Amino acid sequence: MSASSTKGIILIMSGAFSFSIMLLIVKLMKDTNTFTLVFYRSLVQIVISLVTLMQKGLNPLGPNDWKIRVLLMLRAVFGALAVCSWFYGVQVLPLPDAVTLQFTTPPFAALFAVCMVGEKWLPLDMIGAVVCLTGVVFIAHPTWLFGTEIQPVYENQASGFIKALAVIVTTIGAACAGIAYVLVRKIGDSANAIVMVLYYALLSVPLCVFGSFIMKGTCNVWGENGQFSFTDYILMLLMGLGGY
């Protein structure tokens, strides 16, 4: 195995590990407004992205091409929707179920790639899509298919309706992530990856405020005075670092 391949594997494993830490922190803070968590994650990413771009001497707005900038904004919007949906799913569903639903992103990405960039839909892609969607059905466990099941009620256990809603929202998030990945493909090397992260983080802030107002009835996504302890802020900092 070449040195570059080994380095790539290590980076992928490191990324998967940091992402799992982020999801674990989201689960630990399951009683916090979902949009608040995304908001603080975005703040951390804005700071890191701006510092990195300044060190590299790159334009934070990306190339002077309005078409590329429109694609960057679209990618940011769909990425933000995906993260908000995933965080909600992680807070409500058992962590393994939420993570499994997130893994339905690849078939969505393959499908959207056919429509948006003209890639071919191969038989293997179709098989993978069917397997992924079958997994979603088993996680959702709809009563019309499996019948009603009497389960013991545990403290903080989500109701059947809330669980079904979380499954739907998380799956929609996976679809949004699929679109975001295809948009990254369309952007290609026209914009630096850090610029893409910055666009996502910047647009996430107003989207979090708007989403919190619609879903929670408040624009306050930074939290009330005294709501968060020092440990909470450390966890949210680690969450932002893990998601970067």
Side-chain angles (χ1 to χ4, degrees), residues 117-140:
V117 296
E119 291 192 358
K120 294 182 179 180
W121 182 260
L122 301 176
L124 189 60
D125 297 325
M126 188 178 300
I127 294 173
V130 171
V131 171
C132 284
L133 294 178
T134 302
V136 171
V137 171
F138 278 107
I139 292 175

Side-chain angles (χ1 to χ4, degrees), residues 22-35:
M22 179 193 71
L23 294 180
L24 178 60
I25 293 173
V26 173
K27 190 65 175 179
L28 290 173
M29 303 186 70
K30 62 182 180 179
D31 295 327
T32 304
N33 184 348
T34 302
F35 298 101

Side-chain angles (χ1 to χ4, degrees), residues 143-155:
T143 56
W144 55 267
L145 182 61
F146 294 95
T148 55
E149 181 180 356
I150 300 176
Q151 297 178 340
V153 178
Y154 300 99
E155 184 179 2

Side-chain angles (χ1 to χ4, degrees), residues 61 63 65-78 183 187 199 203:
L61 296 178
D65 184 337
W66 69 269
K67 292 182 179 179
I68 297 299
R69 289 182 178 178
V70 168
L71 290 175
L72 286 168
M73 288 188 286
L74 287 174
R75 184 267 169 192
V77 170
F78 283 105
L183 289 171
I187 295 169
Y199 266 78
L203 287 178

Side-chain angles (χ1 to χ4, degrees), residues 1-169:
M1 183 180 295
S2 64
S4 60
S5 298
T6 303
K7 180 180 178 180
I9 293 174
I10 293 175
L11 289 174
I12 291 174
M13 292 177 64
S14 300
F17 176 75
S18 64
F19 195 76
S20 65
I21 294 297
M22 179 193 71
L23 294 180
L24 178 60
I25 293 173
V26 173
K27 190 65 175 179
L28 290 173
M29 303 186 70
K30 62 182 180 179
D31 295 327
T32 304
N33 184 348
T34 302
F35 298 101
T36 296
L37 297 180
V38 179
F39 171 76
Y40 279 105
R41 177 181 187 261
S42 300
L43 291 185
V44 174
Q45 292 184 326
I46 289 173
V47 173
I48 298 176
S49 299
L50 285 175
V51 171
T52 304
L53 290 172
M54 290 176 60
Q55 290 177 339
K56 292 179 177 291
L58 297 174
N59 184 359
L61 296 178
N64 189 20
D65 184 337
W66 69 269
K67 292 182 179 179
I68 297 299
R69 289 182 178 178
V70 168
L71 290 175
L72 286 168
M73 288 188 286
L74 287 174
R75 184 267 169 192
V77 170
F78 283 105
L81 291 174
V83 172
C84 290
S85 301
W86 285 348
F87 277 23
Y88 176 74
V90 169
Q91 288 180 307
V92 174
L93 298 170
L95 188 57
D97 289 1
V99 173
T100 302
L101 288 173
Q102 292 172 20
F103 285 143
T104 61
T105 295
F108 282 118
L111 176 61
F112 291 128
V114 174
C115 306
M116 299 170 63
V117 296
E119 291 192 358
K120 294 182 179 180
W121 182 260
L122 301 176
L124 189 60
D125 297 325
M126 188 178 300
I127 294 173
V130 171
V131 171
C132 284
L133 294 178
T134 302
V136 171
V137 171
F138 278 107
I139 292 175
H141 210 82
T143 56
W144 55 267
L145 182 61
F146 294 95
T148 55
E149 181 180 356
I150 300 176
Q151 297 178 340
V153 178
Y154 300 99
E155 184 179 2
N156 297 327
Q157 183 180 9
S159 67
F161 172 77
I162 296 298
K163 178 182 177 181
L165 178 63
V167 169
I168 293 172
V169 170

